[in-house]
Amino acid sequence: MQEPNGSVVVEQKQDVPVHKAAARIQRFWRQGSQKKLELVNPLIWMHSLGELEKEDEKKAQEEEKEIEEMLIVLQETPADVRKKKVEAVNLHIVPEHYHGPHLFGEMTMKFITDIIAFFREGGNLPYLYVEAIISRVFELHDSCQPVIDLEVPHDGRLTVVGDIHGQLADLLTIFQHNGLPSETNAYIFNGDFVDRGKQGTEVLLILYSLKLLLPQYVHLNKGNHEQLHMNKKYGFEDEVRKKYSDAMYALIAKSFSVLPLAVVLCKDILITHGGLFADDDICIDDIRTIKRKGLTTMTSRVMQDLLWSDPSANPGKSPSARGAGILFGPDVTERFIKNNNLRMIIRSHELKGESGYFTMHNNQLITVFSASNYCGTNNNTGAFLVFNHNSVKGEKLAETYQVHEFRADPDLGSHVFSHKELKKQTKEKLRDKIYRHRHDLMICFSNFDEDGDGYITKVQWAEALNSVLCLSIPWLALFPYFIKASKDNKSINYTQFVRRFRMPCASFPIEIVTTAIDKICTQMILEGASEDIVHQFSKFDANGDGKMTYVEFAEAIEKFNVVLTKDQIFNLMELLDSEGNGTVEPAQFVELFQDPFYRTQEKLQSQLNAMIEEISHHLYSTYGSLPKAYEAIDKHKKGILKYKSFAKKLKKIGHHFSFQHRITLAKYIDHQREGYISKEQFCAAFEKKNLDWKDNILHQIRHALYHKSYHLETAFKALDTEGKGVISFSDFHRALLTLIPT
């Protein structure tokens, strides 16, 4: 039904369960014609983008914890950091060139209507006025309770507005349709005023100004986007910094910290941003006791659930894909309503499909979302709810309120839905997601490739993406936009698919690749010192079919205990599999590893020989013979020394080599690869090679020069009394004697 003011009163709607949405789209796509596919196409992209946004929010939650930990280390709060910024101009005066509205003393409706017109023309209020508005609202909210108890104004109405997200046109359209706030036209704005949209500052200043003018009739609930880490990720902090300053954002963030968390309307309607709680014992009175200032969703689980939770068609409770809050079923809603003597719960926080309004849980849970054509990538209406004084106590819930759906007035600069922009943003996010999980995707694809020919079916491709990326997305419907199938239109070269997704930056640094290859070569040599590079290939070809798959390569790396990142493994396999068919032939393996293998072999042999020589000298000089040295080290008298035990003993007798070097030496000595060093192996490795007194002296000199270079330099400078950089042979001899025992 169209109302005279342009909004539409609609029937109550039941929501379609989210977990079934992707399956329904997929089934429709499989059964439908090309014409039907074109009709469902926008839904496919909107659903996919919605799933990706939830994944982004989950990541933001993880980042919030990291940021808080970092700030604790720095022993500074976000506000402290920003206070250090020095303003370039005097912000506490109104600039001479400013010709917009002026704030003199108390807030007035004329000032509010003037700034609305001013904002529509793209104007910015002076810093002085903004600071005054934000500071006054902070003081007002700082003294109020976390839960506000309200009644609908006598002979008037109360309107509940959902997420606006910086879309000024939607806020102004609501005022056009429903009137500005007044003593008979009260409003509750249910969180998420900012982020994503470009005019969050303007939206916030209008709402804050209205709150100052009509504190008893304008109420602002906190949303999950009225938080520091969300503003960092979704744009509001940058917006404030560009329009004003770091210090201004710190002031706004401070005002967010004291926003109320919920409203109880007419004693039996709870209005809050997100949803219900993981703990069944939480009630409204518990919310009333929350100390908001300085609290975050990381330090208060109750507040996290209140701002982040979503309803589900499934009974019970389960983790949320957002990474915060929970999914709660109809039984949870029914129990909470009964325990708190409520009739209904109104929340926001969520857009589903093409409507800004839907009901769930036997119509006792209402969701209202007020940003139409959300971000320009959703073709949705916005909505708001109106409670009239005469009907709010109606016996039937459907008679309690009216739902108004709308689209923002284009003349106000509203978002226009763009299918092209929707596809662009979704594809960019999916490409980034695929790139970040390319190693795990290659493992999953390879496991599906039973024939080892580098190809899998479309269905296997979709199953792998769902499994690895954990996104409920209709991949088969998106298939034509990401890859070309083979001539039979059924199989996919998965290696070429994954390699299409790259970061928009320089190629993988060659130094990192070289380091990874050297690590592998070292382990290959230690695992089979007598084998050449050709024979090494068999260690990577687990099933002996003459070719190496991605999975076999990754498993061999793990077996060798080579610590490589997933990116390093992927890039090495990309170098090996030059033809992009998912497998590597022996010739390709040898071509990449041959030179590094023999170079590493020579280098490692030289290092190990030096270690053996130094350790051998120490053992002879300390114990007199190698059998005695072994018996002294083998305190348990078992006749075996395990690698770690051997490494620890070497450290105790004073050798400087790193633990990894000592383990490498142990593996080298244990040429039979039994996992331990026998007495015979020990003696054979450290047997003195006819070292004469000259060798001993030279060894000690080399040791001193290498390990005590700083000491020698200090001694030489002390002896160089004239500062010419030259000392006599006798002084050189004296310096050596101070470091080398006679």
Side-chain angles (χ1 to χ4, degrees):
M1 180 178 72
Q2 184 80 26
E3 290 208 330
N5 59 14
S7 63
V8 178
V9 180
V10 299
E11 299 294 330
Q12 294 187 354
K13 301 176 182 178
Q14 282 285 350
D15 177 55
V16 176
V18 168
H19 68 283
K20 296 181 179 179
R24 288 187 180 184
I25 293 172
Q26 196 98 298
R27 187 166 58 251
F28 184 83
W29 176 85
R30 279 174 163 171
Q31 297 171 353
S33 63
Q34 182 63 34
K35 189 172 183 180
K36 289 182 179 179
L37 178 58
E38 290 173 3
L39 293 174
V40 78
N41 202 293
L43 295 177
I44 294 171
W45 292 104
M46 280 189 279
H47 171 80
S48 300
L49 185 59
E51 291 298 301
L52 288 162
E53 293 288 2
K54 287 181 182 177
E55 186 70 18
D56 282 349
E57 289 179 334
K58 181 178 180 180
K59 187 177 179 182
Q61 289 302 311
E62 296 167 354
E63 289 171 347
E64 177 187 18
K65 187 175 182 180
E66 293 172 1
I67 290 170
E68 290 191 355
E69 290 173 352
M70 179 189 72
L71 292 174
I72 289 172
V73 172
L74 294 174
Q75 296 184 331
E76 294 179 326
T77 66
D80 292 331
V81 175
R82 288 170 176 80
K83 283 176 183 176
K84 295 178 181 179
K85 300 287 184 179
V86 179
E87 302 295 346
V89 296
N90 188 350
L91 300 174
H92 296 283
I93 60 172
V94 177
E96 294 181 4
H97 58 77
Y98 175 71
H99 299 293
H102 288 275
L103 180 62
F104 300 111
E106 297 299 316
M107 183 61 63
T108 65
M109 183 58 78
K110 182 180 185 309
F111 176 78
I112 294 172
T113 55
D114 285 348
I115 65 170
I116 288 174
F118 186 58
F119 290 155
R120 286 186 59 184
E121 295 173 358
N124 279 342
L125 282 181
Y127 190 103
L128 178 65
Y129 295 162
V130 176
E131 184 181 48
I133 293 168
I134 304 299
S135 299
R136 292 181 197 176
V137 170
F138 170 78
E139 293 171 3
L140 188 63
H141 281 144
D142 192 32
S143 61
C144 76
Q145 298 300 311
V147 180
I148 308 298
D149 295 288
L150 290 181
E151 298 289 333
V152 177
H154 186 68
D155 292 333
R157 61 186 181 180
L158 182 143
T159 298
V160 180
V161 177
D163 300 38
I164 298 173
H165 278 298
Q167 297 186 186
L168 179 61
D170 287 291
L171 178 63
L172 301 186
T173 300
I174 292 170
F175 289 154
Q176 279 187 351
H177 292 179
N178 200 55
L180 284 165
S182 68
E183 293 180 0
T184 57
N185 191 26
Y187 276 84
I188 298 171
F189 295 93
N190 200 27
D192 282 10
F193 321 126
V194 301
D195 275 335
R196 300 187 189 274
K198 296 180 179 179
Q199 294 179 288
T201 308
E202 290 80 355
V203 167
L204 191 69
L205 289 173
I206 291 171
L207 296 182
Y208 274 15
S209 296
L210 288 167
K211 177 65 181 177
L212 291 175
L213 179 67
L214 299 161
Q216 302 303 316
Y217 303 96
V218 174
H219 302 277
L220 310 175
N221 279 345
K222 184 184 182 78
N224 64 303
H225 278 265
E226 277 69 61
Q227 296 184 97
L228 170 68
H229 71 288
M230 297 299 283
N231 297 160
K232 282 182 176 295
K233 187 173 184 66
Y234 292 101
F236 181 62
E237 182 185 33
D238 283 341
E239 178 192 337
V240 176
R241 290 173 59 202
K242 290 174 183 176
K243 292 177 179 177
Y244 294 100
S245 70
D246 286 339
M248 180 60 76
Y249 176 74
L251 189 63
I252 292 174
K254 183 180 176 183
S255 76
F256 285 165
S257 70
V258 293
L259 286 170
L261 302 175
V263 168
V264 175
L265 181 63
C266 300
K267 298 182 176 61
D268 58 10
I269 300 172
L270 175 66
I271 303 171
T272 191
H273 182 73
L276 299 181
F277 310 96
D279 185 348
D280 286 335
D281 294 331
I282 298 296
C283 63
I284 291 176
D285 286 342
D286 293 310
I287 307 173
R288 296 182 190 277
T289 64
I290 292 177
K291 307 294 184 183
R292 293 158 295 164
K293 195 184 298 183
L295 206 60
T296 71
T297 55
M298 284 292 115
T299 55
S300 168
R301 182 57 197 259
V302 173
M303 189 163 84
Q304 181 189 122
D305 291 343
L306 203 62
L307 300 185
W308 280 93
S309 292
D310 292 304
S312 168
N314 299 322
K317 292 171 284 193
S318 59
S320 171
R322 296 179 187 265
I326 62 167
L327 294 176
F328 59 95
D331 55 324
V332 178
T333 298
E334 183 179 359
R335 184 166 53 249
F336 187 85
I337 284 177
K338 181 180 179 181
N339 292 344
N340 290 273
N341 299 314
L342 299 174
R343 283 200 296 162
M344 71 174 78
I345 299 170
I346 298 172
R347 42 93 64 178
S348 301
H349 188 46
E350 188 176 21
L351 170 64
K352 291 184 180 179
E354 298 184 339
S355 173
Y357 159 81
F358 62 89
T359 68
M360 293 181 71
H361 302 174
N362 197 27
N363 292 328
Q364 291 181 300
L365 186 80
I366 299 106
T367 296
V368 57
F369 189 91
S370 302
S372 66
N373 291 343
Y374 181 42
C375 297
T377 57
N378 291 271
N379 190 22
N380 67 286
T381 59
F384 56 90
L385 310 181
V386 176
F387 292 86
N388 288 295
H389 180 265
N390 297 327
S391 62
V392 71
K393 289 296 183 180
E395 291 185 9
K396 296 181 179 180
L397 289 178
E399 298 173 352
T400 303
Y401 60 90
Q402 284 187 319
V403 183
H404 296 257
E405 290 196 51
F406 67 93
R407 290 187 187 273
D409 188 341
D411 293 336
L412 297 174
S414 64
H415 280 299
V416 177
F417 170 68
S418 168
H419 190 195
K420 182 178 179 181
E421 183 63 24
L422 168 63
K423 287 171 61 178
K424 178 185 174 185
Q425 285 195 29
T426 307
K427 288 169 75 174
E428 285 177 355
K429 287 180 176 290
L430 285 174
R431 286 190 184 105
D432 179 68
K433 189 84 172 169
I434 291 168
Y435 175 82
R436 293 178 186 278
H437 292 81
R438 54 196 182 142
H439 169 80
D440 297 319
L441 282 170
M442 282 298 296
I443 294 290
C444 197
F445 289 149
S446 296
N447 285 328
F448 276 126
D449 181 15
E450 295 180 357
D451 297 333
D453 60 359
Y455 286 83
I456 57 175
T457 66
K458 285 183 181 180
V459 173
Q460 291 171 331
W461 173 82
E463 287 180 8
L465 287 165
N466 269 327
S467 173
V468 173
L469 303 186
C470 300
L471 294 171
S472 179
I473 285 178
W475 288 104
L476 288 177
L478 295 176
F479 174 82
Y481 300 95
F482 284 93
I483 194 170
K484 290 183 179 180
S486 60
K487 292 181 180 179
D488 62 9
N489 200 36
K490 294 181 180 179
S491 55
I492 298 167
N493 183 317
Y494 57 85
T495 302
Q496 292 181 7
F497 164 73
V498 175
R499 289 184 183 180
R500 292 181 59 199
F501 303 96
R502 298 184 178 277
M503 292 292 285
C505 61
S507 59
F508 203 73
I510 190 63
E511 294 83 2
I512 296 178
V513 176
T514 303
T515 301
I517 292 173
D518 288 345
K519 286 182 179 180
I520 296 171
C521 288
T522 299
Q523 289 305 113
M524 284 195 291
I525 293 164
L526 292 174
E527 293 295 326
S530 62
E531 298 177 2
D532 61 20
I533 187 61
V534 176
H535 290 92
Q536 295 288 347
F537 180 78
S538 62
K539 297 176 182 177
F540 294 84
D541 179 17
N543 62 5
D545 64 354
K547 54 188 177 182
M548 177 181 71
T549 66
Y550 194 98
V551 172
E552 288 176 326
F553 182 64
E555 288 177 349
I557 296 299
E558 184 178 358
K559 183 179 178 181
F560 283 156
N561 290 319
V562 178
V563 181
L564 298 182
T565 66
K566 291 179 178 180
D567 279 342
Q568 286 175 318
I569 294 173
F570 182 91
N571 282 279
L572 282 174
M573 189 63 182
E574 189 173 24
L575 287 173
L576 286 163
D577 181 16
S578 55
E579 297 179 6
N581 57 15
T583 58
V584 176
E585 302 289 336
Q588 294 172 304
F589 178 86
V590 171
E591 183 181 357
L592 180 65
F593 280 103
Q594 182 170 253
D595 289 343
F597 179 81
Y598 291 120
R599 184 179 65 247
T600 303
Q601 193 175 50
E602 184 178 346
K603 180 180 178 182
L604 182 62
Q605 188 68 55
S606 176
Q607 291 174 340
L608 292 174
N609 285 342
M611 290 176 67
I612 289 172
E613 183 181 345
E614 181 173 332
I615 295 169
S616 176
H617 175 77
H618 182 93
L619 294 174
Y620 272 106
S621 60
T622 304
Y623 301 103
S625 71
L626 293 177
K628 288 183 179 180
Y630 188 88
E631 290 171 5
I633 295 173
D634 179 22
K635 291 185 177 180
H636 299 293
K637 310 304 178 186
K638 292 183 178 181
I640 60 173
L641 283 175
K642 292 188 176 181
Y643 294 170
K644 288 186 178 179
S645 178
F646 172 78
K648 289 178 180 178
K649 300 298 182 186
L650 287 184
K651 183 178 181 180
K652 284 185 177 180
I653 62 177
H655 287 286
H656 63 279
F657 307 113
S658 70
F659 181 77
Q660 189 56 49
H661 278 102
R662 283 176 266 138
I663 291 292
T664 300
L665 178 60
K667 289 182 178 181
Y668 178 74
I669 295 172
D670 176 26
H671 54 82
Q672 294 179 343
R673 304 297 178 264
E674 295 174 322
Y676 62 86
I677 300 171
S678 67
K679 186 174 183 179
E680 292 73 16
Q681 290 172 327
F682 181 88
C683 293
F686 294 110
E687 183 181 2
K688 205 167 184 180
K689 310 299 181 183
N690 297 319
L691 295 176
D692 58 15
W693 65 273
K694 295 179 182 178
D695 294 319
N696 283 327
I697 292 175
L698 289 173
H699 170 75
Q700 292 183 55
I701 292 174
R702 283 198 299 269
H703 185 279
L705 291 174
Y706 181 76
H707 298 290
K708 298 189 177 183
S709 58
Y710 176 75
H711 301 76
L712 279 172
E713 183 181 0
T714 304
F716 291 158
K717 286 181 178 178
L719 294 169
D720 180 18
T721 55
E722 297 181 4
K724 294 181 178 180
V726 178
I727 58 174
S728 66
F729 179 80
S730 60
D731 285 339
F732 177 78
H733 185 231
R734 285 174 56 202
L736 289 181
L737 288 177
T738 61
L739 300 174
I740 302 173
T742 56

